Amino acid sequence: MVAVLTDVGGTGEPIVLLHGLMGSGRTWRRQVPWLRDVGQVSVVDAEGHRGPRDSRTAPTTDDFVDDLVEVLGDVGPATVIGHSMGGLHGWCLAARRPDLVRALVVEDMAPDFRGLTSAGWAASIEAWPLPFPDADAVRSWFGDVAGRYFLDSFEQRDDGWWLHGEVATFRAIADEWGRRDFWSEWTSVRAPALLIEAEHSVTPSGQMARMHAVQPSSTHVVVAGAGHLVHDDRPEDYRRIVTNFLRSL
């Protein structure tokens, strides 16, 4: 196992937060304080993201789910809240081990990216001016919202801010999504599910609505004006939507 689970406090039913690709557990730090009011909160640092350096070069979705099965075994049935990649891992976990997932929140992720490649995206990462000399340089390069995401994830060293994983690993994770779809895992989910879609989503058009259509018991909300990082881009809307869902369980 190469995932790391950290208890960040709270009381009540377990809540486990799963970050997106190139993120870390710390990308949830602005949501953790209010989530502590509704549950016992833990964050996961996925393989290849700020965790141990003995990660596999090309971990698969099944590998990530294997890790979640192991770490959640110590937590018990939990509400699993995932952003992007973390949302995918959450519903694949719920499909494989319904006993471990009490409820599910999926933020801006869809089941089918087949045919898309990470070549252009990976090339842009390799062109980043690393290391960034200070936090202001990170925010200037990425903007305020994505800048916060990367400041929560990058490694700060004596000479500046560095990428917190290998580009080849991040690319391999994304490239798997371009080769297979995850519809069968989604249709196997039986836990109550909330689907949060950004108005300016990175997901293929219509897929999150279709996810709701094939799982009518799920709830689908599109957040006006939001980009992919809904929880940081529209934090008040995100908090309201998630809190209402958690109270409905």
Side-chain angles (χ1 to χ4, degrees):
M1 180 187 70
V2 285
V4 177
L5 181 139
T6 304
D7 184 336
V8 291
T11 57
E13 296 287 343
I15 297 173
V16 175
L17 306 178
L18 309 180
H19 63 78
L21 183 61
M22 297 184 65
S24 78
R26 292 187 68 241
T27 59
W28 292 108
R29 64 188 179 88
R30 285 164 289 280
Q31 287 69 48
V32 165
W34 58 265
L35 282 167
R36 288 192 189 114
D37 293 337
V38 291
Q40 179 72 37
V41 185
S42 298
V43 299
V44 173
D45 285 296
E47 176 176 1
H49 298 71
R50 288 181 65 91
R53 288 305 187 189
D54 57 350
S55 299
R56 291 159 286 210
T57 302
T60 66
T61 300
D62 290 335
D63 291 331
F64 287 115
V65 175
D66 288 343
D67 284 350
L68 292 175
V69 168
E70 187 167 348
V71 298
L72 264 69
D74 297 329
V75 173
T79 295
V80 176
I81 299 176
H83 167 246
S84 193
M85 178 187 78
L88 170 64
H89 296 169
W91 87 62
C92 289
L93 173 68
R96 187 194 300 181
R97 288 291 303 273
D99 58 307
L100 293 179
V101 181
R102 175 173 174 259
L104 183 65
V105 177
V106 177
E107 178 187 349
D108 214 48
M109 188 59 176
D112 191 354
F113 289 84
R114 285 177 299 172
L116 301 178
T117 73
S118 64
W121 166 75
S124 70
I125 296 171
E126 291 168 342
W128 289 355
L130 295 170
F132 291 95
D134 51 38
D136 286 341
V138 176
R139 285 188 288 265
S140 177
W141 185 267
F142 296 105
D144 287 339
V145 175
R148 286 195 298 267
Y149 184 83
F150 286 117
L151 284 170
D152 288 337
S153 304
F154 283 172
E155 290 183 358
Q156 186 177 16
R157 306 176 191 170
D158 291 342
D159 57 347
W161 295 82
W162 287 88
L163 190 63
H164 55 297
E166 301 299 328
V167 176
T169 300
F170 298 144
R171 180 173 182 176
I173 293 166
D175 280 345
E176 184 201 19
W177 305 341
R179 296 190 301 269
R180 62 175 286 196
D181 73 87
F182 298 89
W183 278 111
S184 63
E185 289 83 357
W186 171 248
T187 57
S188 297
V189 171
R190 294 296 174 262
L194 169 64
L195 303 170
I196 300 176
E197 182 175 0
E199 179 182 2
H200 307 295
S201 177
V202 303
T203 65
S205 178
Q207 282 201 25
M208 294 196 77
R210 183 182 165 200
M211 291 171 73
H212 171 57
V214 300
Q215 292 281 31
S217 62
S218 65
T219 301
H220 176 220
V221 179
V222 178
V223 180
H228 182 53
L229 291 160
V230 181
H231 59 280
D232 267 345
D233 199 7
R234 294 293 185 272
E236 293 181 1
D237 290 337
Y238 181 87
R239 177 175 181 173
R240 171 181 51 80
I241 293 163
V242 172
T243 299
N244 287 343
F245 174 71
L246 296 178
R247 288 174 176 166
S248 74
L249 298 177

